[in-house]
Amino acid sequence: MCMCASEARPYLYFQTPIRELFADPPADLVAEEDGRFWYHDAVHFGDGPLYPMDYSLTVMLMDMTQSAYYNRVFAMPTSRGRATIMVKGRPYRTSFQEGKVGDPEVFERRLRFYLENWDSIYEQWKREVLEIIKELESLEFELPEGYEPDEAVYSRAYPSPQRLLENWMRLLALWMRLWFRHYEMLMLGYAVYDFFYRFCKAVFPDIPDHHITLMISGRRPLDVELPEKTLRELAKLARELGVGDLVLSAESPEDLEKALAGAGEAGAKWLAAWRESFAHFHVSTGSGMLHTDARWDERPEIPLAILKNYIRSPPSERPRPDPDAVALGYAQLLPEDLRDLFWKYLDVARRVYPYIEEHSFYVENWGFSVGYKKIRQVGRLLAKWGVLVSEDDIWYLNWFEVMQALLEAATVWASGRSPVGKHWWGRVARRREEFLKALSRESPAPYLGALPSAVRDSNLAMLHRIGGGDGGSGLVGVGASPGVAEGFVAVVRGYDDFAKVRSGVVIVAPTIAPTWAPLLSQAAAVVTDSGGVMSHAAILAREYGVPAVVGTGNATKVLRDGAKVRVDGGRGVVEVLCWQNC
């Protein structure tokens, strides 16, 4: 059977390396691509190659939506936006910082409007995102058995294929709206962070980065903290009601329901609280970008496992410096005119902080979770009508290919013709499955091209710090949370590795999601491959008083389970004390 070239290249042509796209690539495009700095976006996507469907709903949309706000909406003076090339199945992104960038007058005017109205805009933003999620939930992907119902015919409703295909297009449109809302205030927020950061470095040259970020964080409670706080409350309630042992004895969520249902009034009360808690469980153990991220509301064994740990060992509050006291200490060192500017910059940075930390809770975790559930429905439909061999084959197709598959399914439903798809898409899916498995065995470089001499893009500087390397007997990165701690390494790449985490270990991870908070309550220290001073790993570590070094570049490749290390979160150094048999 003849197969086209796109069978093994599921990514869009303009996000494919130019030398892979053309046998004789245009010289100007080769020079432009080779001359740029491209960073591997491990913060959002981890180390592995992307499934085509995940790519379609993330990377495919990110450059356009992010760049629109950078350049056309806010005329930012730091960057015109992003471009991506898919190298070995991984997204490598670049920031257009060079040349004429933005318009300072336009940027200042629009920035001022957003900052003056930030709280009200953010409240409206949350309502709008929840409306998008509600509409996503309402999408149905069905083809009825037999004939269309009488009421549909008599009301002259469009036949089912029309709704099916419209809803698939609507899913992409809604996903795109989530991406636009994701980026609406994000770049402004990071610009504000950067203003305060640069100001502090100018007036206090020796100030540690973690003091700056500690001052920004303040003490305002965040929505993203609700899942972990909910589990703490459930553990406390279980102890108060005397049902803790029943919860601990449950081997699965189903066992939990049975055990508590037979525990009288106390069991019923706790079980009601457990069921209500799922309203806060729209979170994943990853970034939320990928369909493979384990989601609490789909896999209740995840919050149950954390809950059991909290019942056995109630997490203790670690001492954390008072952000207000730290800020006051620095402010008092300044002359009056600079002191006023310090408080002004800090006030604005604290105002944007909740959005920066919570936007992914609403978009990637909640919104994408609902969207990926809908895609699973489409996979089941296509398998039912013989267009896919397996419902999971849908992840090996991109959005446009699924549109073709749905057109065929609708035709098969309408006419009864034999489906071609199970032969065509089945072969495509198997080839791509092999392709992705081969790519997953390759280690991605942290970046391609020469590191820029200066970074103007505040998002790149604050979140995507790339660096580190060999530190002699250890590693060097960014000191993101102060303190020194020793412990044995537990390399944690995702939920399947959570069981490795015991009290006093040093968590070494590619990156860390907000839902890893329960792990940090047990960790001695944290080390990550990627991230900067405002990454989730850095923020969580400071919140829990755990030393952290982020942005090492290769900690998960260099360190192995059981090695003993000393982590200096102030200096950004990880020293290996013993490699094995410690």
Side-chain angles (χ1 to χ4, degrees):
M1 179 185 292
C2 176
M3 303 298 287
C4 64
S6 64
E7 178 185 336
R9 188 188 298 126
Y11 313 121
L12 296 193
Y13 70 93
F14 62 86
Q15 292 182 323
T16 299
I18 202 70
R19 286 186 178 85
E20 293 181 17
L21 200 59
F22 297 100
D24 184 19
D28 59 331
L29 295 181
V30 171
E32 180 181 350
E33 190 172 288
D34 288 352
R36 302 203 64 80
F37 167 72
W38 303 86
Y39 66 92
H40 175 216
D41 191 355
V43 169
H44 293 117
F45 297 103
D47 272 349
L50 297 188
Y51 283 85
M53 180 54 66
D54 295 16
Y55 158 85
S56 297
L57 299 167
T58 55
V59 175
M60 187 182 85
L61 303 176
M62 289 169 71
D63 289 347
M64 179 267 294
T65 51
Q66 187 175 12
S67 300
Y69 280 112
Y70 261 120
N71 195 26
R72 300 298 182 175
V73 176
F74 292 121
M76 296 186 71
T78 54
S79 174
R80 297 192 307 278
R82 295 282 196 276
T84 301
I85 52 174
M86 297 297 293
V87 179
K88 297 182 179 179
R90 282 87 168 179
Y92 282 76
R93 308 191 76 201
T94 190
S95 176
F96 294 102
Q97 305 178 96
E98 67 287 339
K100 185 182 184 303
V101 178
D103 184 317
E105 189 276 328
V106 173
F107 172 65
E108 290 174 14
R109 184 176 69 246
R110 295 179 180 182
L111 174 63
R112 187 180 306 112
F113 171 82
Y114 264 77
L115 293 181
E116 289 174 353
N117 299 280
W118 191 274
D119 290 343
S120 61
I121 290 174
Y122 183 35
E123 288 304 312
Q124 182 181 6
W125 181 97
K126 285 195 276 191
R127 291 193 296 271
E128 290 169 351
V129 169
L130 291 175
E131 281 298 316
I132 296 170
I133 294 171
K134 183 178 179 181
E135 189 169 349
L136 266 176
E137 288 177 327
S138 72
L139 297 180
E140 295 295 338
F141 297 95
E142 297 176 345
L143 289 170
E145 299 285 354
Y147 300 111
E148 294 276 17
D150 287 348
E151 57 270 21
V153 176
Y154 302 152
S155 65
R156 299 183 56 246
Y158 285 105
S160 296
Q162 175 73 20
R163 294 190 296 277
L164 175 68
L165 297 169
E166 274 190 2
N167 282 348
W168 184 243
M169 290 185 280
R170 190 64 186 155
L171 180 138
L172 182 66
L174 291 169
W175 217 297
M176 194 182 308
R177 284 174 60 187
L178 285 174
W179 272 117
F180 275 120
R181 286 295 171 251
H182 170 100
Y183 283 122
E184 179 184 3
M185 298 188 287
L186 192 63
M187 301 306 107
L188 297 182
Y190 277 115
V192 168
Y193 280 179
D194 201 37
F195 291 158
F196 182 65
Y197 180 87
R198 292 176 188 272
F199 173 83
C200 288
K201 288 294 185 179
V203 296
F204 307 115
D206 297 325
I207 186 173
D209 287 353
H210 57 79
H211 280 190
I212 300 174
T213 53
L214 173 67
M215 290 188 286
I216 290 173
S217 65
R219 292 193 174 277
R220 183 172 172 177
L222 301 174
D223 292 350
V224 72
E225 298 168 350
L226 282 173
E228 198 262 343
K229 287 182 178 178
T230 299
L231 290 181
R232 289 183 182 228
E233 292 168 359
L234 283 169
K236 180 182 177 182
L237 182 63
R239 290 191 295 270
E240 291 173 349
L241 294 175
V243 297
D245 288 342
L246 288 175
V247 177
L248 291 173
S249 67
E251 295 184 0
S252 68
E254 293 75 22
D255 287 345
L256 181 70
E257 291 276 343
K258 292 176 183 177
L260 273 296
E265 185 178 343
K269 184 176 180 179
W270 190 90
L271 200 55
W274 164 255
R275 291 166 178 165
E276 290 171 5
S277 69
F278 277 74
H280 303 309
F281 287 173
H282 302 290
V283 291
S284 76
T285 57
S287 66
M289 296 277 191
L290 308 176
H291 85 273
T292 51
D293 288 337
R295 290 171 163 81
W296 286 22
D297 56 346
E298 295 177 337
R299 296 182 59 181
E301 68 270 18
I302 298 173
L304 177 58
I306 299 169
L307 173 63
K308 286 181 177 182
N309 285 337
Y310 282 0
I311 292 174
R312 293 189 192 100
S313 305
S316 58
E317 296 293 336
R318 302 194 190 192
R320 176 177 182 260
D322 182 350
D324 295 332
V326 173
L328 182 61
Y330 279 107
Q332 289 173 341
L333 300 175
L334 295 171
E336 187 172 346
D337 57 335
L338 289 180
R339 191 182 307 151
D340 291 343
L341 195 56
F342 171 87
W343 287 120
K344 180 180 179 181
Y345 278 154
L346 179 57
D347 175 66
V348 175
R350 286 183 172 179
R351 195 181 312 158
V352 305
Y353 178 77
Y355 167 80
I356 298 292
E357 286 309 298
E358 292 176 346
H359 75 280
S360 61
F361 171 74
Y362 286 100
V363 176
E364 290 99 308
N365 281 276
W366 197 338
F368 288 11
S369 178
V370 171
Y372 281 131
K373 287 178 187 176
K374 293 299 176 180
I375 291 171
R376 291 187 181 94
Q377 289 181 14
V378 176
R380 289 193 289 272
L381 176 84
L382 292 173
K384 174 183 176 180
W385 291 97
V387 179
L388 295 183
V389 175
S390 162
E391 64 185 66
D392 288 333
D393 283 352
I394 194 169
W395 306 113
Y396 295 102
L397 311 186
N398 63 38
W399 182 90
F400 301 96
E401 292 167 335
V402 172
M403 186 68 179
Q404 296 178 56
L406 285 169
L407 278 166
E408 185 189 9
T411 303
V412 169
W413 172 86
S415 68
R417 63 162 288 179
S418 298
V420 179
K422 61 185 176 183
H423 304 288
W424 174 259
W425 296 121
R427 181 167 174 148
V428 169
R430 297 293 72 74
R431 291 282 184 88
R432 288 183 181 167
E433 183 179 23
E434 294 170 8
F435 178 61
L436 293 181
K437 283 181 180 177
L439 290 179
S440 67
R441 292 190 287 269
E442 300 187 29
S443 297
Y447 59 85
L448 306 173
L451 285 162
S453 57
V455 177
R456 297 166 62 185
D457 186 339
S458 52
N459 173 262
L460 201 61
M462 302 299 288
L463 182 63
H464 293 284
R465 191 273 183 186
I466 297 173
D470 188 7
S473 62
L475 297 162
V476 178
V478 175
S481 181
V484 178
E486 295 182 6
F488 294 102
V489 166
V491 179
V492 181
R493 298 182 181 278
Y495 171 67
D496 291 339
D497 294 326
F498 279 16
K500 295 181 183 179
V501 179
R502 295 287 185 268
S503 179
V505 303
V506 173
I507 295 175
V508 176
T511 187
I512 282 180
T515 50
W516 289 34
L519 301 184
L520 269 70
S521 67
Q522 303 179 66
V526 172
V527 180
T528 66
D529 291 340
S530 60
V533 292
M534 294 307 295
S535 63
H536 290 305
I539 291 167
L540 282 173
R542 289 191 294 271
E543 185 67 30
Y544 281 85
V546 175
V549 176
V550 302
T552 62
N554 57 355
T556 57
K557 298 177 182 66
V558 173
L559 301 175
R560 294 291 181 267
D561 289 337
K564 189 175 184 180
V565 297
R566 178 184 293 121
V567 179
D568 188 330
R571 294 170 53 230
V573 174
V574 182
E575 181 184 359
V576 180
L577 303 177
C578 173
W579 287 100
Q580 58 184 354
N581 300 321
C582 303

